[in-house]
Amino acid sequence: MSAAGAAAKRLLERAPKAVRTFKSSAVQQSGGHGHSTGGYDDYIHAKHMYSIQKMPHRKIKIAIACSSMLILGAGIPTIAVMWQKHKAAG
């Protein structure tokens, strides 16, 4: 073996071995449902959270929401097709 090969072999023997490991911190324990106990649990389990029957102006709010979803759902693709046709016509 050449002197350079022997030197390389000694260098590799002295070098620290590379170890591939995965290090992570400990899992943080929380109060419940992924939230800390800073009052979020009270909101998640609130009885009035989904009280749609008691919502003020319920009919008008739901009518506006449904109408806007229908208009956007049909309007955006229609405008996109018109724009594509306009661009293709030159």
Side-chain angles (χ1 to χ4, degrees), residues 67-85:
S67 301
S68 62
M69 282 187 250
L70 181 67
I71 290 169
L72 288 174
I76 291 175
T78 303
I79 292 169
V81 168
M82 290 170 51
W83 177 252
Q84 289 285 331
K85 287 183 178 182

Side-chain angles (χ1 to χ4, degrees), residues 1-86:
M1 184 182 297
S2 68
K9 187 174 181 181
R10 283 192 307 267
L11 183 63
L12 286 174
E13 288 174 356
R14 290 185 200 167
K17 300 289 182 191
V19 179
R20 292 178 182 238
T21 60
F22 182 78
K23 296 180 182 180
S24 66
S25 59
V27 177
Q28 182 180 4
Q29 300 297 322
S30 60
H33 302 292
H35 296 288
S36 63
T37 56
Y40 291 110
D41 294 335
D42 297 336
Y43 176 74
I44 289 175
H45 299 292
K47 293 179 182 178
H48 64 278
M49 188 171 178
Y50 298 112
S51 180
I52 295 175
Q53 289 80 12
K54 295 180 182 179
M55 179 191 304
H57 310 293
R58 173 180 46 129
K59 289 184 179 181
I60 190 71
K61 287 180 183 178
I62 292 176
I64 290 171
C66 291
S67 301
S68 62
M69 282 187 250
L70 181 67
I71 290 169
L72 288 174
I76 291 175
T78 303
I79 292 169
V81 168
M82 290 170 51
W83 177 252
Q84 289 285 331
K85 287 183 178 182
H86 174 74

